[in-house]
Amino acid sequence: MSRPHCEHGKDDLCAVGTDLYEQALRQGRLSSEDTRVAPCIVDLGLLYPALDDPTRLEPVAPVVALHRLLRSSEERIASERQREAQLAETFGSLMRIADPPPTAGETSTIQLLTGTERINRAITDAMADASEELITVQPRAGLTGERGQAADAASLGRDQAALDRGCRIRTLYPHTMRHFPMITARCERLKGDVQIRTLDEVPDRMVLIDRTVAFVPAGEDGRLALEIRHPAIVDHLAVTFDRLWRLATPMYPEAAPQPSRNGITPRQHAIAALLVEGHTDAVIADRLGMNIRTARVHIAKLAAMLGSRSRAQLGYLIGRSGILDQGR
């Protein structure tokens, strides 16, 4: 049973046509009636009428047919390339009108960086020219394992070079990071003006260099980032950081104690506020830079302290207890 013919491009040979061409090569001929099911083999010049009988079609030798089809394909490709060049030339001039290139010494104000290697390279290049201050926001601890050690070693050398040029480094962490010895240990390896403060919550990761260039995430997996050199945006980020910095609790080089109010720690106070807002355990953990298991331990302690038997009741009891008023 022969296969049904299907529509395809005019320069393609379908399966039905291939079968008929093979049959013609074996038999030496086909009738014009046979080719009606696959007219493509005639259109492609794979068969030609016999001199003594126009209704009988004889096959072209495969090597000749292949050479002819390849030459046709090459001509088509050359035509497409010429068309591409013409379009590029036409639209190139139009794009220069719509978006003129930067003048000498000027760079694009916002760029999308793809891949962790390119992001880190861009930060390293920007920091090579730093002479005043490096500002960072770190919502969570760095990577662990070999990858984390390599990244830490690279950033450590980069930071020390900036400090050696007289720069200051200020970093904001969430309060949960105060209990990570690795953070203090890293600071102690650096020689220079390094300061760390903490808050209940901090914004997403940010690197700001000399208040002229900022790097912020453009995706959740850390593989996309924006390099921002627009003065108004960079200034906005710097002012926002300064305001958060004044509200934050010193951690390094001198750690200020976090006062506990009526047995409620600052960490539990932050969790209570997010619970009242209706956030899930996963969101609370992410916002406060802790793992979900730790978040649930603190939620359980709050529930036990207030005598709550359900999540809904816990939010009600927190609001009624005045816990949140103590942080104001």
Side-chain angles (χ1 to χ4, degrees):
M1 183 177 179
S2 62
R3 287 181 278 189
H5 187 259
C6 59
E7 294 295 327
H8 57 78
K10 65 177 183 178
D11 297 319
D12 298 329
L13 180 62
C14 64
V16 177
T18 302
D19 291 344
L20 283 174
Y21 183 50
E22 180 180 342
Q23 181 181 342
L25 290 171
R26 293 182 185 279
Q27 298 176 357
R29 68 188 68 182
L30 285 178
S31 69
S32 56
E33 184 70 24
D34 293 334
T35 62
R36 288 184 179 179
V37 296
C40 55
I41 59 172
V42 177
D43 296 338
L44 290 173
L46 301 182
L47 299 173
Y48 63 92
L51 293 176
D52 58 343
D53 184 0
T55 63
R56 189 177 76 245
L57 301 175
E58 297 178 349
V60 174
V63 64
V64 175
L66 177 62
H67 177 73
R68 183 187 299 162
L69 292 173
L70 289 177
R71 185 175 59 190
S72 175
S73 177
E74 290 171 356
E75 291 174 353
R76 189 168 61 254
I77 292 172
S79 176
E80 286 297 321
R81 286 177 175 169
Q82 184 179 4
R83 181 172 177 270
E84 289 175 1
Q86 291 173 344
L87 287 173
E89 181 179 356
T90 300
F91 280 86
S93 60
L94 295 174
M95 287 188 290
R96 285 191 291 273
I97 295 173
D99 186 18
T103 58
E106 184 182 10
T107 58
S108 177
T109 56
I110 300 179
Q111 293 188 64
L112 178 64
L113 306 176
T114 305
T116 54
E117 183 177 347
R118 185 184 176 196
I119 294 170
N120 288 332
R121 186 169 62 248
I123 294 175
T124 299
D125 292 344
M127 282 190 61
D129 299 325
S131 60
E132 298 178 9
E133 184 177 47
L134 169 65
I135 288 172
T136 64
V137 177
Q138 302 287 357
R140 53 190 60 84
L143 298 170
T144 58
E146 293 183 2
R147 183 182 172 192
Q149 293 175 0
D152 183 64
S155 63
L156 195 70
R158 190 169 61 194
D159 290 354
Q160 187 58 62
L163 291 168
D164 292 342
R165 293 193 299 272
C167 290
R168 175 176 64 166
I169 297 179
R170 291 190 294 161
T171 302
L172 275 176
Y173 281 105
H175 285 325
T176 52
M177 297 295 103
R178 298 177 76 90
H179 307 285
F180 279 65
M182 57 178 285
I183 294 177
T184 302
R186 184 183 190 282
C187 292
E188 291 175 346
R189 292 167 63 188
L190 293 169
K191 307 302 180 184
D193 187 358
V194 179
Q195 300 176 39
I196 294 178
R197 293 187 181 185
T198 63
L199 285 168
D200 283 342
E201 293 184 66
V202 297
D204 208 343
R205 189 167 187 261
M206 180 186 73
V207 176
L208 202 158
I209 302 167
D210 280 357
R211 296 177 182 253
T212 59
V213 54
F215 297 87
V216 298
E220 296 182 357
D221 61 358
R223 298 183 183 278
L224 292 175
L226 293 179
E227 178 180 339
I228 304 171
R229 293 180 180 272
H230 192 291
I233 300 176
V234 172
D235 185 62
H236 173 79
L237 294 173
V239 170
T240 300
F241 179 90
D242 288 339
R243 291 176 179 175
L244 293 174
W245 184 259
R246 286 193 291 271
L247 297 173
T249 303
M251 173 182 168
Y252 185 90
E254 296 293 333
Q258 293 179 275
S260 175
R261 302 178 181 89
N262 297 330
I264 302 295
T265 67
R267 186 188 305 191
Q268 290 171 336
H269 181 273
I271 291 174
L274 293 173
L275 280 169
V276 170
E277 292 177 10
H279 295 294
T280 64
D281 295 353
V283 170
I284 291 172
D286 183 67
R287 293 265 298 260
L288 299 181
M290 64 178 69
N291 64 56
I292 192 168
R293 182 180 302 176
T294 302
R296 285 171 176 164
V297 168
H298 286 289
I299 292 170
K301 289 181 179 178
L302 278 172
M305 184 185 304
L306 298 175
S308 172
R309 297 181 180 180
S310 69
R311 186 63 169 255
Q313 186 186 29
L314 179 56
Y316 168 76
L317 292 176
I318 289 173
R320 185 179 177 183
S321 66
I323 289 176
L324 300 182
D325 297 332
Q326 298 172 14
R328 295 175 184 172

